[in-house]
Amino acid sequence: MPDLRVVILGDELLTGAGDPKGIGWLGRVQARLPGDRDVAVFALPMIEETTSDLLSRWKNEATIRFSKDSENYLVLALGSADVRSGITISRSRLNLASLLDDAVREGIKVLVVGPTPTGVPEFDSEVKHLSEGFSDVVRRRQLTYVDCFSPLVDHEGWLSEVTNHPKQLPGQVGYGLIAWLVLNRGWFEWLGLTQKD
C-alpha cells in the first residue's frame, strides 16, 4: 500500500503553544494513528495567518512534501486572524474556496478544521460568522469540516483556560478537546484508516 502524507497548515494552535505537555491537539491525534500504515505528518504553522496568507503559501508548502507515489492529504487548521485583520467574510470565503478548488483539482484530499472561540464575547460573535462561512464553503464541496467553535464556545473547561491565558491559548484540557473533535468528526474515515485501540 502507498504511504500517506499529511500536510497540516494552521496558526499558532498547531504549535501546541500553551500546552504544558507540549504536544497540542495534533500530537494527541497522531498518537491515535494505527501503526500498520506509514503516515508522514508535516505540521507547518504560521502565527496569525489569514486566509489570504494561506492561499499564497499552501501550494509551495504542500506540494514539495507530496509524492506521486503516496496518498496526499491536506489539513487546513483555520484560525480567526481574518477577523483581527479586518478581512470581510466574503473575502475569507473566496480565499478558502479558491484554495479548496485548487487542491481538489490536484487530486489532494482536504479536511478543514475550523477556528476556536477566544472567550471574548464581542470578538467571538465575529468568529462564529467566520466559522459558519467556512463550514458552508467546505460542505458545498462535500468535504469534511470540523466545527470547533460551536462545541467550545460555552464549554467551561475551554473557557477557563483561554480566558486565563494572555494570548487566549488553550492548555491541556483545551487541546484535548480539539483533538477529540478532530478524531470524532471524520478523521479516520477521511484517511481511510481504523482508529488504534
Side-chain angles (χ1 to χ4, degrees):
M1 290 187 292
D3 66 328
L4 277 65
R5 297 193 180 187
V6 184
V7 171
I8 307 181
L9 304 176
D11 66 5
E12 54 267 35
L13 292 187
L14 196 53
T15 70
D19 181 5
K21 289 195 170 183
I23 59 174
W25 68 264
L26 180 57
R28 290 168 169 84
V29 168
Q30 283 184 266
R32 303 300 299 168
L33 290 171
D36 60 346
R37 287 296 300 275
D38 183 10
V39 183
V41 177
F42 303 88
L44 304 169
M46 185 71 70
I47 293 174
E48 287 294 312
E49 182 170 56
T50 66
T51 55
S52 297
D53 299 329
L54 184 61
L55 181 60
S56 296
R57 81 167 172 125
W58 86 267
K59 192 171 285 189
N60 288 336
E61 295 273 16
T63 53
I64 61 171
R65 292 169 173 87
F66 290 148
S67 162
K68 60 180 174 50
D69 299 319
S70 63
E71 293 181 18
N72 300 316
Y73 296 82
L74 176 66
V75 177
L76 304 175
L78 303 174
S80 53
D82 281 21
V83 175
R84 279 184 284 277
S85 299
I87 296 175
T88 65
I89 297 289
S90 297
R91 173 52 63 182
S92 298
R93 288 174 57 109
L94 182 59
N95 288 338
L96 179 59
S98 298
L99 194 165
L100 294 176
D101 291 343
D102 285 349
V104 169
R105 272 194 298 272
E106 298 274 344
I108 300 165
K109 297 167 185 160
V110 189
L111 178 143
V112 179
V113 179
T116 56
T118 64
V120 180
E122 302 81 11
F123 186 81
D124 283 343
S125 68
E126 297 299 319
V127 179
K128 177 178 185 287
H129 295 309
L130 185 66
S131 179
E132 290 169 347
F134 287 155
S135 176
D136 183 57
V137 169
V138 173
R139 295 187 196 286
R140 283 174 185 265
R141 287 155 178 77
Q142 298 182 318
L143 301 173
T144 302
Y145 183 77
V146 179
D147 176 12
C148 290
F149 184 86
S150 299
L152 300 180
V153 68
D154 294 317
H155 191 286
E156 185 177 336
W158 173 269
L159 292 174
S160 174
E161 289 185 337
V162 297
T163 57
N164 285 300
H165 191 282
K167 294 185 177 178
Q168 285 86 46
L169 292 171
Q172 192 168 326
V173 170
Y175 281 113
L177 289 166
I178 298 173
W180 189 92
L181 289 169
V182 171
L183 289 169
N184 288 278
R185 298 292 190 270
W187 174 257
F188 292 101
E189 294 85 351
W190 175 65
L191 289 172
L193 300 176
T194 303
Q195 183 169 352
K196 182 170 72 175
D197 293 331

